[in-house]
Amino acid sequence: MIKIIYNKERYIFTIGLLVVLTAMLPYLILGENMIVFYPDQLDGEVLSYILHAKYLFTGIDTYPEMMNGISENGLFPPAPLIVLLYKILRPSVAFVCNQIFCMVVAYIGMYFCIKTTVNNSMIAAFCGILFAYLPLLSVYGLCQYGLPLLCYNFYLLYKGKRKVLALSGVIFYGLMSSLVLIGYGVLGFGVLYLLWLAWKKQAMCHKWVWIGWLSLLCSYLATNYKLLLQIFGIGGQKPSYKEVIVRYGQNVINAFRTVFYEGTIHTPTHQKGIVVITIVVLVFGICGYRRLQGRLRRTFCLLAAGFGFNLFCALFYAFYQSDFIANLRNQAGGIIKEFQADRIYWLTVFVWYFLLGLDLYLIWKWTIHSVKNKKIVCIAAGSIFLSGVVFVSAATVYYYSDFSKNLHRLRQGESYARVTWNDFYAPEIFSQIDSFIGREKSSYRTLSFGIYPAIALYNGFYCLDGYSNNYDLAYLYTFREIIEGELEKEESLRKYYDEWGCRCYVLSAELGINNYLVHKGAGSKEIDLALNTDAAKKLGAQYLFSAVKISNAKELGMTLLREAPFETSDSYYAIYLYELGTV
């Protein structure tokens, strides 16, 4: 009997894993025509992996391809171990391999977390699949995808089981995640738990938990030591542009609602349904708490604790985003202003889908209890509620998943208007431009307008512009001379560059903020650009790639090298090539 149960659980786990691996099929069929969410991925982190892979094991720590030489700290990869993938595979393949790997880890971790808690393989597999299919940003490695497996590994260490395997999993998480994005939160809450164990006088009983925490800390220190030296001003590091960042507060209620109820661009949890379901289950559980016993009571208490944790994280985020805290951070300056402690809300993604598993288990058990007591109305209500929860949860995740978008791409082809990998990086267009220029790319520098500089960078060009959250303060001011005329046209644009500055781009008041990918249908409109070409040429700029025709190019001393833009029949944009000349 035990063997039959074991085999059934194994089959359920395997079927769930196969469902997760199904996500790989559209990627394999579409190749570089796959749809990818490009903000914070294709425009930034992918390039950090490419450049780190290019210079891996060379001893070079300044990359000449971007901003006339940017330090490796300026493009620090969120998950250092992923650099190896980009070293041995071409970028699109490395991206897909990492995506599938992260989804598999997410499924396995969530499955074992829920299976260990409620001893129900069906619920564990269902929630594991949903969590794996969430449209999380895979360029961040296991920052979010790996949290369930990390928790399970610490559970094993707590129980003193499979210690070597669990410790290996903890260290692997440290190598596949970011200290500054989520690691500090994991370590911080870990410290609180260790202090609680010490207060309960159980520290020595669970020494492996301490060893696990120290192992995670050491893995972060090993991969982030250069960044930490810069943060703490050790070793003559150059000042970062972060010194001039100005923090602005948000509406506290809106900030709370976003994190607790809706999700953000970095935490696309789409948890509205889970929040409502959990509140309903909590209300019913509180009303009948005295009748709960054994596993049911423990599960309900865990549900309440998890809900409270997410509530705390959302409240902390909202408070941290308030005008009061923003002003305090600006006044304090230094690491206090730069440190984004509110990112602990990244931890809530895993918790929401863990809570969904607890919800399903409690609803199922209450429905079974109604069957035993022949309460027809309760049976009907429980069955309908349980079915509704399963359907709505599955439909929501499928609708927002990358898998759904790529299935639509397969069915509808190019008529499905979403940006693909090829659309974004446009290798055919830039191959044409490279052939037209006919020079070694390292012998000149470029600027981009109406497209992300990452596009030119991906195609091997050396760019004076780029996206970085940690470059030299002096370069912020030097590059500003090029776009000063545009910044003076629009106050919001000036504040965007001077008081945030991550995007060292050729900005335009007419295009506005966050309009960096101009479709060729919209690019027919000509723009008058206030560009200081002398300042650009002093930095070494000789060519400008523009997705928009510049009406005053001659006045700026720029030459349009070809009247017809560089494009293909199916390209997302068309590129005009301007020559700036030399100083």
Side-chain angles (χ1 to χ4, degrees):
M1 184 66 179
I2 294 175
K3 186 176 180 180
I4 293 173
I5 294 173
Y6 172 75
N7 286 338
K8 180 181 177 182
E9 292 175 350
R10 186 173 61 184
Y11 293 147
I12 292 172
F13 171 82
T14 304
I15 291 170
L17 183 59
L18 291 174
V19 172
V20 172
L21 290 174
T22 301
M24 181 169 55
L25 296 178
Y27 292 120
L28 292 177
I29 297 170
L30 291 168
E32 293 190 348
N33 288 316
M34 61 184 170
I35 292 171
V36 178
F37 182 76
Y38 61 82
D40 286 348
Q41 295 204 108
L42 304 191
D43 69 330
E45 303 300 355
V46 165
L47 275 302
S48 73
Y49 289 118
I50 290 173
L51 287 180
H52 271 76
K54 180 178 179 179
Y55 293 105
L56 189 64
F57 307 130
T58 64
I60 296 174
D61 58 4
T62 299
Y63 307 148
E65 289 87 346
M66 181 173 161
M67 294 182 175
N68 264 349
I70 188 169
S71 71
E72 59 179 334
N73 280 346
L75 286 174
F76 197 81
L81 203 58
I82 296 177
V83 172
L84 295 175
L85 271 181
Y86 284 82
K87 184 69 175 177
I88 60 178
L89 301 171
R90 73 174 188 266
S92 60
V93 177
F95 181 89
V96 172
C97 289
N98 176 56
Q99 174 75 48
I100 298 302
F101 176 75
C102 288
M103 291 179 69
V104 169
V105 170
Y107 169 76
I108 293 172
M110 185 63 79
Y111 176 88
F112 282 109
C113 275
I114 294 179
K115 176 66 173 61
T116 302
T117 305
V118 302
N119 195 29
N120 188 304
S121 295
M122 288 291 290
I123 293 175
F126 176 72
C127 292
I129 292 169
L130 294 190
F131 184 66
Y133 270 81
L134 284 176
L136 304 176
L137 304 188
S138 61
V139 291
Y140 296 130
L142 297 183
C143 282
Q144 295 169 315
Y145 279 118
L147 283 173
L149 191 58
L150 178 68
C151 288
Y152 182 70
N153 283 324
F154 270 107
Y155 168 79
L156 292 177
L157 293 174
Y158 179 85
K159 291 291 186 179
K161 299 178 180 179
R162 302 178 182 176
K163 295 183 285 291
V164 175
L165 182 63
L167 274 179
S168 300
V170 169
I171 294 171
F172 185 71
Y173 179 84
L175 300 176
M176 282 287 290
S177 63
S178 168
L179 172 64
V180 297
L181 294 177
I182 200 169
Y184 74 89
V186 174
L187 292 171
F189 282 109
V191 167
L192 294 178
Y193 183 71
L194 293 175
L195 291 175
W196 183 80
L197 286 179
W199 181 69
K200 298 283 287 184
K201 297 181 180 179
Q202 296 179 1
M204 294 307 299
C205 299
H206 301 292
K207 62 181 180 181
W208 283 101
V209 177
W210 289 79
I211 295 173
W213 185 90
L214 288 171
S215 299
L216 182 61
L217 175 64
C218 289
S219 65
Y220 279 133
L221 292 176
T223 53
N224 291 267
Y225 73 94
K226 289 184 180 179
L227 188 60
L228 292 171
L229 289 177
Q230 180 187 9
I231 290 172
F232 292 105
I234 301 173
Q237 302 287 339
K238 294 181 180 178
S240 169
Y241 86 95
K242 289 185 176 183
E243 293 186 9
V244 297
I245 285 179
V246 177
R247 299 293 180 184
Y248 288 95
Q250 298 183 30
N251 180 282
V252 172
I253 295 175
N254 289 340
F256 172 80
R257 183 178 64 246
T258 297
V259 169
F260 188 73
Y261 189 62
E262 297 172 355
T264 69
I265 185 175
H266 296 116
T267 56
T269 320
H270 306 293
Q271 73 269 27
K272 292 179 182 178
I274 301 176
V275 174
V276 174
I277 293 161
T278 304
I279 291 174
V280 171
V281 172
L282 285 172
V283 170
F284 275 95
I286 291 171
C287 293
Y289 183 76
R290 292 184 179 181
R291 294 191 295 273
L292 297 177
Q293 296 179 354
R295 188 189 292 272
L296 277 178
R297 174 169 285 198
R298 291 194 299 273
T299 302
F300 178 78
C301 291
L302 189 57
L303 179 73
F307 188 80
F309 174 82
N310 279 5
L311 182 62
F312 166 78
C313 289
L315 288 171
F316 180 82
Y317 173 84
F319 175 69
Y320 201 77
Q321 292 293 321
S322 67
D323 288 325
F324 174 72
I325 295 298
N327 291 333
L328 284 181
R329 292 172 70 190
N330 288 328
Q331 292 171 15
I335 191 172
I336 294 176
K337 183 176 69 172
E338 297 172 16
F339 184 49
Q340 293 182 263
D342 53 321
R343 277 190 176 143
I344 61 169
Y345 76 89
W346 280 38
L347 300 169
T348 64
V349 178
F350 149 58
V351 178
W352 281 123
Y353 282 81
F354 180 73
L355 295 184
L356 176 63
L358 304 187
D359 288 331
L360 291 171
Y361 175 75
L362 290 170
I363 296 168
W364 168 252
K365 283 297 183 180
W366 289 337
T367 304
I368 295 299
H369 180 74
S370 299
V371 171
K372 291 180 180 179
N373 290 279
K374 300 179 180 180
K375 296 180 179 179
I376 304 301
V377 175
C378 293
I379 295 171
S383 300
I384 293 171
F385 190 37
L386 185 63
S387 302
V389 170
V390 170
F391 176 78
V392 171
S393 301
T396 300
V397 171
Y398 172 77
Y399 177 80
Y400 288 106
S401 69
D402 294 330
F403 178 73
S404 171
K405 297 178 181 66
N406 280 292
L407 276 185
H408 280 85
R409 176 72 179 188
L410 282 172
R411 293 170 186 162
Q412 301 175 27
E414 293 176 12
S415 62
Y416 187 64
R418 293 291 185 112
V419 177
T420 67
W421 181 285
N422 258 341
D423 287 338
F424 188 85
Y425 286 127
E428 292 183 19
I429 293 178
F430 281 88
S431 177
Q432 293 176 27
I433 294 174
D434 182 32
S435 297
F436 183 88
I437 294 174
R439 297 171 56 189
E440 173 60 38
K441 292 174 184 173
S442 61
S443 67
Y444 58 90
R445 299 295 182 265
T446 69
L447 292 169
S448 297
F449 178 59
I451 58 171
Y452 288 91
I455 297 167
L457 189 62
Y458 176 87
N459 286 285
F461 292 90
Y462 285 59
C463 307
L464 295 175
D465 40 5
Y467 176 88
S468 169
N469 57 13
N470 189 22
Y471 64 93
D472 292 346
L473 176 61
Y475 196 82
L476 175 79
Y477 294 126
T478 302
F479 191 88
R480 189 187 193 282
E481 295 177 19
I482 299 174
I483 58 173
E484 186 173 8
E486 288 295 325
L487 299 183
E488 290 175 352
K489 291 181 183 179
E490 177 62 49
E491 177 63 12
S492 61
L493 197 69
R494 184 200 65 77
K495 291 175 68 175
Y496 180 74
Y497 184 84
D498 289 345
E499 299 180 359
W500 189 61
C502 279
R503 289 192 170 96
C504 211
Y505 292 1
V506 177
L507 300 173
S508 162
E510 190 167 345
L511 287 182
I513 298 171
N514 292 327
N515 189 10
Y516 312 122
L517 203 63
V518 180
H519 188 270
K520 62 183 177 183
S524 58
K525 177 184 177 182
E526 296 188 9
I527 284 183
D528 185 280
L529 190 63
L531 192 69
N532 187 336
T533 51
D534 288 335
K537 286 186 284 188
K538 284 180 182 178
L539 273 178
Q542 289 182 265
Y543 298 99
L544 173 71
F545 306 137
S546 178
V548 183
K549 199 164 187 180
I550 301 170
S551 60
N552 62 329
K554 290 183 179 179
E555 298 172 22
L556 296 174
M558 297 193 302
T559 304
L560 181 62
L561 295 181
R562 198 177 83 169
E563 189 64 31
F566 293 87
E567 60 181 322
T568 64
S569 59
D570 58 351
S571 63
Y572 186 84
Y573 40 75
I575 302 299
Y576 294 93
L577 178 63
Y578 291 91
E579 185 176 32
L580 279 69
T582 57
V583 179

